[in-house]
Structure formats: structure tokens, C-alpha cells
Amino acid sequence: MEHLFKGPGLLEEARGLHNFMNWKRNILTDSGGFQMVSLLNLAEITEEGVKFKSPYDGSECMLTPEESIHIQNKIGADIIMQLDDVVSSTTTGDRVVEAMERTIRWLDRCIAAHKHPERQSLFPIVQGGLNAELRQRCAEELIKRNTPGFAIGGLSGGEAKEDFWKMVSISTEILPKGKPRYLMGVGFSEDLVVCSALGCDMYDCVFPTRTARFGTALLFTGQITLKHKKFAQDYSPVDETCHCSTCTTYSRAYIHSIATQETVACHLLSIHNIAFQMRLMAKIRDSIKNGIFPEFVQEFMLGMYPTKNYPQWSLNALSSVGIQLI
């Protein structure tokens, strides 16, 4: 977001990011809050906002809730996020309380600064770390603001999976069922299925493209790492069930031969991995519409774990919503 905003008049001249990218579908932008964690050594957090040193040129800039919304209004995304005070998911104590309470105060400033609520949906973000009481308090406060949707943030940062799913569940139990519930930063296949069962509707994650950099492809039977020697003479598609441009054009052997030498291998696997996740989400949606979601979950998990050595956290999470694995 920063590099686009710093180009003077760039998005105004292009009439927003949709035109700049020639993308006719929906766009979601984040607020910059995550950089409080990822660039903590470059940031100072106060009630006013976040003071950053630019990772590009070292210059100082202040990102306030109002400025974050101002930037996102200019970008023109369909869904924009409040600026929240983000801490690592494993942080405990007073800092978690401070971040949760500040997130609520900053939401009100974001709502007041939002210039285009008729065409850009502003989502608040549930924070509270791994503290169930704080999560509940935050969610209860956020739903008092009549926003078009809600996000669950501050998770998938190294915490135990048992803690992870419980914080998701606490949040979805409170957030309105008739509005989108967006779980931020979650992208593992199993997590998408389990958290959809817990009531989440939307996700984002760098995982499909990040793991592609290491030669890894996502399948409904798990992951395969095409850098391994066993794929050197495997002339089958990356995934025989996939119709993306990578799988219909290139073999596992070809991608193996370039996986550690040419960046195009990352691009090809990124295309497949994103296509895989879109197929997965389509299957989740279709099974819900057709009233067979529990059966889909059972089939999916059996494909991932054919010996039925299911992770205990998944069993516990799915059992909490009445889904028993076979």
C-alpha cells in the first residue's frame, strides 16, 4: 500500500486500483496494521497512530487511522480494513489489553474518516490475543457498530492450533451470521476447511505463493515438493485433477528441472496453488449450498490423512460443531 500511495497522483490519474490493474472483480486492502508486528523494529506505536521508518528509503511517516482510511479510499478497494493495533499472537499481559482497547477506539476514528461507505465496505477487526475474555469483549464492542462485515485478526502467528481454533470459535459465536466473517492470515488447506466449519467465510494468506517458492505444490492429498529427486522423471501433470494452465501444460519433471534454478518455477507453481485454493473454496461453498458440508469435510480430511491419523486439534474443532470424522 505504501509504494502505491507514495507515487504522487498515481492512483488518482488511473482512477483507482481497479483501473490501474485492469481488474474488474473485487479488491480487498489491508490497513497497514500488520506492519506493527512484521516491521516492529521500524515502528513506534502511540495513541495517535504508528510512526514508521520506510523500509525503502528510511524516511519517517505517521500512519494514523484517518490516514489509513484516506489511502484506502484513494485506492478504491471494495473492502477496506480498519487500522488495528496488532500484537504477536503469543503476546500476553497488559500489552494485549492495550492493543484490544485501542483497536476499538481506532475503529471509531476509521468510521468517522471513511468517505465512501456507499461503495467501500469497512471491516473492523477482532483482537484480543489468546485471551478468550478479551476476544469476547472486543467482538461484542465491534458489533455495536453497524459495519458491513467483520474480520478476525491477530492469529496464525505461531500459537498452538488448539488455542487458534478456540479463538476463532469464540469470535464467530458472537459475530453476526448474516454478515461476512473474514479470518485474516489463514491459508493452510486444513485450516480453511476447519475454520469454514467454525463459521468463517473469507480468508487471505501468502502461503500458496510463498510455498511455491520452495517448489511445493498443493493437492487434495497433501503437498508435494517437486525439488525432490523422485520427480525427475515423473512426466505426469502436477495435479491430474487440475485444469489450470500449469497442470495442462507442464509436467512434474519439467518443474523439477527448473525448481531450484529458474524463478519461472515459482510463477508456475503459484498459478497452480492459487487455482487449487480457489477449487477448494468452491467445493466448500457448493457443499454448503447442497447441504452436504459435513460429508465434504469427512471426505477432504480422509484424502489428506488416508491412515486417519487426524490431528487432535482438528478433531476437537470439528466435534465442537457436530462433525465427526470417519
Side-chain angles (χ1 to χ4, degrees):
M1 188 168 75
E2 180 190 0
H3 68 279
L4 280 176
F5 178 67
K6 283 199 167 183
L10 181 63
L11 291 178
E12 289 91 336
E13 291 174 10
R15 291 176 291 112
L17 189 57
H18 289 87
N19 289 324
F20 188 62
M21 294 169 54
N22 194 26
W23 179 252
K24 307 304 181 187
R25 301 187 183 186
N26 289 333
I27 296 175
L28 182 151
T29 50
D30 201 0
S31 62
F34 179 70
Q35 278 64 39
M36 295 181 202
V37 175
S38 64
L39 298 175
L40 188 59
N41 60 325
L42 300 175
E44 178 187 347
I45 306 163
T46 67
E47 189 64 27
E48 182 184 2
V50 190
K51 186 185 291 184
F52 283 103
K53 279 190 177 177
S54 169
Y56 301 107
D57 59 13
S59 62
E60 260 191 13
C61 53
M62 171 63 77
L63 183 65
T64 64
E66 293 81 6
E67 185 67 4
S68 173
I69 296 301
H70 175 63
I71 295 170
Q72 293 184 84
N73 281 162
K74 283 191 174 183
I75 291 173
D78 303 275
I79 298 174
I80 64 176
M81 307 305 299
Q82 77 154 108
L83 184 65
D84 54 339
D85 188 350
V86 184
V87 296
S88 169
S89 60
T90 54
T91 301
T92 58
D94 292 344
R95 178 68 184 100
V96 183
V97 179
E98 176 189 49
M100 184 276 288
E101 292 177 343
R102 181 175 286 144
T103 291
I104 297 168
R105 293 193 298 272
W106 281 3
L107 171 61
D108 290 330
R109 290 168 61 185
C110 288
I111 292 172
H114 188 17
K115 293 181 179 178
H116 306 301
E118 76 287 351
R119 63 174 186 263
Q120 290 182 286
S121 296
L122 172 61
F123 282 20
I125 304 172
V126 177
Q127 292 291 351
L130 303 180
N131 185 307
E133 182 184 345
L134 293 181
R135 285 269 165 190
Q136 183 175 347
R137 278 174 52 196
C138 189
E140 288 172 347
E141 277 297 318
L142 297 189
I143 63 175
K144 293 176 183 177
R145 285 76 172 169
N146 189 26
T147 56
F150 298 87
I152 303 167
L155 296 174
S156 196
E159 72 277 6
K161 287 290 192 179
E162 191 69 20
D163 293 329
F164 162 75
W165 81 260
K166 288 179 179 177
M167 295 304 103
V168 172
S169 181
I170 286 167
S171 303
T172 56
E173 284 175 6
I174 297 168
L175 298 176
K177 292 181 172 57
K179 294 184 177 182
R181 296 182 286 193
Y182 161 35
L183 181 56
M184 305 180 76
V186 169
F188 293 161
S189 305
E190 182 178 341
D191 294 4
L192 297 176
V193 171
V194 172
C195 291
S196 294
L198 295 176
C200 296
D201 306 296
M202 296 170 50
Y203 307 90
D204 81 290
C205 195
V206 299
F207 173 67
T209 49
R210 177 186 286 165
T211 199
R213 290 185 229 154
F214 302 100
T216 300
L218 307 179
L219 282 72
F220 282 100
T221 51
Q223 302 178 19
I224 58 172
T225 302
L226 294 174
K227 291 191 299 184
H228 291 169
K229 290 182 180 179
K230 66 179 181 179
F231 297 109
Q233 293 179 304
D234 186 342
Y235 300 103
S236 60
V238 174
D239 180 353
E240 292 181 347
T241 70
C242 180
H243 300 292
C244 76
S245 58
T246 297
C247 291
T248 56
T249 309
Y250 303 101
S251 67
R252 294 177 174 184
Y254 173 72
I255 294 179
H256 166 83
S257 71
I258 62 172
T260 58
Q261 301 175 44
E262 302 288 345
T263 57
V264 70
C266 305
H267 303 159
L268 295 175
L269 287 175
S270 291
I271 289 170
H272 165 71
N273 287 350
I274 292 170
F276 167 83
Q277 293 215 317
M278 292 179 71
R279 290 169 62 211
L280 174 58
M281 295 308 299
K283 286 175 179 286
I284 291 172
R285 284 195 305 273
D286 290 344
S287 68
I288 292 171
K289 290 178 183 177
N290 295 327
I292 55 170
F293 180 66
E295 291 81 0
F296 166 76
V297 174
Q298 291 171 340
E299 180 184 345
F300 170 84
M301 293 295 287
L302 191 57
M304 286 287 181
Y305 299 97
T307 61
K308 302 185 179 182
N309 58 329
Y310 304 120
Q312 191 61 48
W313 78 270
S314 296
L315 291 169
N316 294 343
L318 293 170
S319 178
S320 75
V321 290
I323 299 178
Q324 307 298 326
L325 298 184
I326 55 176

